[in-house]
Amino acid sequence: MVKTRIAPSPTGFPHVGTAYIGIFSYVWARKNGGRFIVRIEDTDQNRYVEGAEEGILRALKWLGLDYDEGPDVGGPNGPYRQSERLELYRRYAQELLDKGLAYRAFETPEELAAIREELQKKGLGYGYDGRARNIPRAEAEARAAAGEPHVIRLKTPESGSVVVYDELRGAIEFSSHEIPDVVLLKSDGYPTYHLAVVVDDHLMEVTDVIRGEDWLVSTPIQKLLYQAFGWDEPKWYHLPLLRAPGGAKLSKRTGHTSIDYYREEGFLPEALVNYLSTMGFSMPDEREIFGLEEMIAAFSWERVSLGGPVFDEEKLRWMNGKYIREVLSLEEACDRLKPFLQSAGLEWGTDEYLCQVVTVMRPRFETLKEFVEKARYFFDEDYPFAPKAEKELRKGAETLRELKELLAGLPDFAPERTEEAITAFAAARDLKLRKVMQPLRAAITGSLATPGMYELLEILGKERVMKRLERAFAHLRELEGDQ
RNA sequence: GGCCCCUUCGACUAGCGGUUAGGUCACCGCCCUUUCAAGGCGGCGGCACGGGUUCGAGUCCCGUAGGGGUCACCA
């Protein structure tokens, strides 16, 4: 059975990179009828952030990446939080010690810094020379027993090479002398990533490790660990890293990397997932709008490209708009908007009214949050007047007064009726339609960017429109009073 | 810097030896039009470079360049 996992660290907000890798892991597991699990890698006590785990799990659920096993849902191979598995790592580190494949090292951070500097001068690529290998076993055990702080390091081969097989790139060879004696167990008793990931992936029966390319060069270390334990290694897939517009790895400094940011800005989870999926994957028929189910059906590693994709928020916005106007049903779109209206303190009355508004507004906003900004006047009689709208108001004040009388005489604001009345009104005065429309638009919305006038009038209704015209004239008087 | 990975329009990508190198975003123009959008149509724009292999390379190989990653008791 194919089993994939995602292993986020609770060190901050939920990262889009986690979602990105999560999508491919999820899809590959589902494609194969396998299992997708979440494991929390909280082995760094210094970087641990309270609440981060909850944020990450919430984000994964929001995106629709439901997992079969995880810290909050349990599973057959738990616990799924590394801080709760410390005994396991110690036991396995001991096993390596017993086999003579690992050793205790007692250097202080200062000593290590000195060693690193020294090696750096010699032009060597990494930071430890394996000198503690020379400490006699008995002495090391005695010092450890005496409570001397130390770490346990992996004894890596001194010659030869390690060949890693990446499913997306093929065989990659690393010279053994470039693989350092990495720390397996830290002096605080916590494991490092290398030990924890191998022990957990093995125990949790992970068959396919899908992760970011930044892990590629550490794979030989983990492969060595699998060998040391005598376990079968999983298949490795290293996905390219998401890039920021400049080209560097997407980070806090180079772009918006928090999933929460996108949720708060009014992006739809479906759109974010869809967009992230197109970062490296493409459908056989080149369609760009597709959901997880479609991706699962069409997925193949051959359709994954390896160039680092640049995360383009502009295209994400376009795609989000596409979802709002073409993928979501009208009712669904209305429901998604409600929380945003609420947090803006706006009331929409009936669902029917909201849907009328959304119907005409749908082609005009790309994020849920943007709707609130652009459709405010539908929900607030105290809508503000934009400077350009005020200008139209001034220019068309006379026309508007006459138009108001006309509108007041109409029995109702059915589109056919208002259209006939207004076009006739303009024709009678030999006015271009816009000379009539713009002042009216400005008056009843405070804006010059709105849906069509006839639908606007119908949705707002005669009563509200007449009141708004009154208010607009009042506003006009204030403006003139100021001058 | 050592090592590793990557390289098609500005961005995301299709292409798996023979194509006028296709699509999407962005940009520009036109159409529609009462504004703003959406939509339709059209345009701009690319195989990093140099060697090979081959009758024939965007497609295969090598090199160069460029970009990225990684060199922690962080993951």
Side-chain angles (χ1 to χ4, degrees):
Chain A
M1 190 200 356
V2 169
K3 204 164 171 186
T4 65
R5 48 72 167 174
I6 186 151
S9 287
T11 54
F13 55 79
H15 199 282
V16 290
T18 303
Y20 173 58
I21 301 295
I23 289 165
F24 285 83
S25 301
Y26 172 85
V27 166
W28 185 234
R30 292 284 174 266
K31 172 98 194 166
N32 291 282
R35 292 169 79 78
F36 169 57
I37 76 180
V38 174
R39 181 177 66 231
I40 299 297
E41 311 236 319
D42 55 346
T43 56
D44 186 345
Q45 300 185 82
N46 300 318
R47 293 208 305 157
Y48 182 80
V49 173
E50 199 67 42
E53 177 186 318
E54 291 68 27
I56 291 165
L57 297 179
R58 199 188 319 118
L60 290 175
K61 285 170 188 148
W62 179 68
L63 292 168
L65 300 175
D66 44 283
Y67 39 94
D68 305 300
E69 301 169 30
D72 55 342
V73 298
N77 304 307
Y80 293 88
R81 208 174 273 123
Q82 292 184 327
S83 60
E84 295 168 11
R85 302 168 64 80
L86 300 181
E87 268 319 305
L88 238 28
Y89 309 124
R90 283 171 201 154
R91 196 193 311 156
Y92 282 103
Q94 184 63 47
E95 179 183 327
L96 258 24
L97 235 31
D98 294 341
K99 284 180 172 173
L101 296 171
Y103 60 93
R104 298 185 196 275
F106 300 86
E107 289 83 7
T108 63
E110 295 70 35
E111 287 170 323
L112 284 174
I115 292 170
R116 203 166 322 165
E117 200 176 327
E118 192 182 315
L119 291 172
Q120 211 72 249
K121 275 181 199 159
K122 287 187 196 162
L124 288 171
Y126 54 88
Y128 187 66
D129 56 9
R131 62 180 63 179
R133 288 181 178 212
N134 301 323
I135 300 171
R137 185 79 193 274
E139 182 191 329
E141 290 307 317
R143 288 169 70 176
E148 186 173 345
H150 66 285
V151 299
I152 294 176
R153 286 180 183 272
L154 176 68
K155 199 181 282 184
T156 60
E158 294 174 79
S159 61
S161 65
V162 176
V163 176
V164 167
Y165 191 84
D166 178 88
E167 299 295 323
L168 305 179
R169 295 160 239 266
I172 302 167
E173 183 173 6
F174 297 87
S175 299
S176 294
H177 67 260
E178 278 159 21
I179 304 171
D181 282 359
V182 293
V183 171
L184 262 20
L185 205 64
K186 303 183 240 182
S187 58
D188 62 3
Y190 278 63
T192 59
Y193 174 81
H194 303 294
L195 208 217
V197 79
V198 168
V199 167
D200 288 345
D201 281 342
H202 175 255
L203 262 25
M204 294 177 181
E205 298 165 329
V206 170
T207 59
D208 295 65
V209 171
I210 297 162
R211 70 220 302 200
E213 196 179 1
D214 47 350
W215 291 110
L216 186 57
V217 295
S218 77
T219 312
I221 296 169
Q222 290 143 36
K223 171 156 181 152
L224 251 19
L225 275 168
Y226 275 95
Q227 289 174 345
F229 287 119
W231 298 334
D232 289 334
E233 65 178 308
K235 286 185 177 171
W236 311 98
Y237 306 78
H238 292 90
L239 256 24
L241 262 18
L242 255 25
R243 307 283 186 85
K249 167 161 101 168
L250 190 64
S251 73
K252 225 184 296 185
R253 284 150 291 279
T254 55
H256 295 113
T257 53
S258 169
I259 296 171
D260 291 341
Y261 165 81
Y262 293 97
R263 181 170 45 71
E264 288 159 8
E265 282 298 306
F267 285 88
L268 306 174
E270 298 95 320
L272 218 208
V273 166
N274 188 160
Y275 180 66
L276 250 14
S277 301
T278 64
M279 305 270 84
F281 172 75
S282 62
M283 287 296 243
D285 61 2
E286 293 193 60
R287 102 188 87 129
E288 288 197 291
I289 303 299
F290 56 88
L292 282 171
E293 289 309 314
E294 290 163 276
M295 182 172 173
I296 290 166
F299 190 77
S300 155
W301 290 105
E302 288 177 7
R303 302 209 59 81
V304 173
S305 55
L306 298 177
V310 174
F311 189 98
D312 180 8
E313 228 180 287
E314 197 57 48
K315 187 158 184 180
L316 205 211
R317 288 184 68 85
W318 165 79
M319 192 172 276
N320 203 60
K322 197 87 174 159
Y323 266 80
I324 287 170
R325 74 185 96 92
E326 290 178 20
V327 179
L328 254 40
S329 68
L330 179 61
E331 293 69 29
E332 188 64 34
C334 293
D335 281 342
R336 307 276 186 118
L337 286 163
K338 288 176 183 173
F340 285 82
L341 287 168
Q342 265 165 350
S343 65
L346 296 174
E347 286 169 20
W348 59 88
T350 65
D351 282 9
E352 193 194 343
Y353 176 70
L354 212 209
C355 282
Q356 277 186 297
V357 172
V358 175
T359 299
V360 298
M361 283 300 291
R362 271 220 270 191
R364 296 178 165 81
F365 63 97
E366 293 185 311
T367 67
L368 302 176
K369 193 170 169 183
E370 201 182 17
F371 172 79
V372 173
E373 294 155 13
K374 293 189 170 175
R376 157 157 236 117
Y377 56 81
F378 279 110
F379 309 100
D380 182 4
E381 298 310 305
D382 257 330
Y383 53 90
F385 289 89
K388 283 182 181 172
E390 289 175 335
K391 198 175 159 195
E392 284 293 340
L393 222 44
R394 277 205 204 87
K395 281 198 303 188
E398 281 320 301
T399 309
L400 207 49
R401 270 178 236 286
E402 292 176 40
L403 186 60
K404 182 170 174 262
E405 292 315 307
L406 173 74
L407 291 173
L410 294 177
D412 63 64
F413 277 7
E416 316 79 55
R417 195 181 309 285
T418 50
E419 174 167 11
E420 192 192 347
I422 293 174
T423 49
F425 175 89
R429 287 160 184 74
D430 199 26
L431 283 170
K432 292 233 185 216
L433 244 199
R434 59 171 299 142
K435 291 281 180 193
V436 180
M437 291 296 199
Q438 289 299 70
L440 179 58
R441 191 185 313 279
I444 66 176
T445 69
S447 166
L448 293 182
T450 79
M453 183 56 72
Y454 309 122
E455 36 200 9
L456 208 49
L457 289 172
E458 182 183 34
I459 292 170
L460 289 171
K462 183 173 173 182
E463 192 183 334
R464 285 172 86 191
V465 169
M466 299 318 289
K467 281 185 186 158
R468 285 178 178 216
L469 283 169
E470 284 299 342
R471 177 168 174 264
F473 286 128
H475 184 67
L476 207 45
R477 284 192 291 276
E478 277 174 40
L479 286 177
E480 278 155 5
D482 287 346
Q483 282 171 356

